[in-house]
Amino acid sequence: MYAKELIERAKKARENAYAPYSKFKVGAAILTEDGEVYTGVNVENASFGLTVCAERVALFKAVSVGKRSFKAIAVVADTEEPVPPCGACRQVLSEFGDMEVIMANLKGDVKIARLRDLLPDSFKFEEGKR
């Protein structure tokens, strides 16, 4: 099953997170429909608004090489409960359709949901309707 592999890839990526301010390291791994995996980590900045989440880093890496269709994303952090993507990440991910979201923590707890269930009314651009 790909969920276990994605969690492991996200855990490994998490080690490279740049989180000197919050100390909250997050790793993500996104699976494309054609079976490739791209990882990401959160990258903090002294100007906190410029911080980028791990989920978006993984997605942007995949998009930057031409990927547009995704099957699943795993997110891992050192939390009590499995860590969900933030609202901004949910919205950005939704731009590329519905996907499975695998939320995990370092203790091995896992929760899986569809993106559409985590963000049921995502903002969508409709041509001609502004």
Side-chain angles (χ1 to χ4, degrees):
M1 180 175 187
Y2 59 83
K4 192 171 191 164
E5 179 187 341
L6 282 180
I7 291 168
E8 288 307 312
R9 297 279 296 267
K11 268 189 205 178
K12 185 167 177 47
R14 181 185 166 277
E15 296 170 11
N16 292 319
Y18 180 73
Y21 308 105
S22 72
K23 309 292 189 239
F24 186 69
K25 294 183 173 192
V26 181
I30 194 165
L31 175 65
T32 65
E33 286 289 353
D34 62 0
E36 293 187 47
V37 176
Y38 295 85
T39 60
V41 299
N42 57 317
V43 180
E44 292 182 348
N45 187 275
S47 175
F48 294 129
L50 300 179
T51 294
V52 180
C53 298
E55 300 92 310
R56 284 182 277 159
V57 170
L59 176 72
F60 295 164
K61 283 171 64 176
V63 169
S64 73
V65 296
K67 303 302 177 180
R68 300 289 187 272
S69 185
F70 303 95
K71 186 172 186 170
I73 188 165
V75 186
V76 177
D78 188 8
T79 52
E80 279 300 310
E81 300 293 323
V83 65
C86 72
C89 286
R90 294 175 197 199
Q91 178 61 47
V92 171
L93 290 167
S94 75
E95 183 77 12
F96 297 90
D98 190 30
M99 67 185 76
E100 194 170 62
V101 180
I102 304 158
M103 301 161 275
N105 60 18
L106 296 181
K107 298 186 300 184
D109 299 324
V110 176
K111 181 179 178 183
I112 299 175
R114 298 297 306 181
L115 183 58
R116 68 177 172 259
D117 296 326
L118 296 177
L119 187 66
D121 292 318
S122 64
F123 179 83
K124 300 285 187 199
F125 177 77
E126 293 182 42
E127 192 67 42
K129 294 185 179 181
R130 294 183 193 191

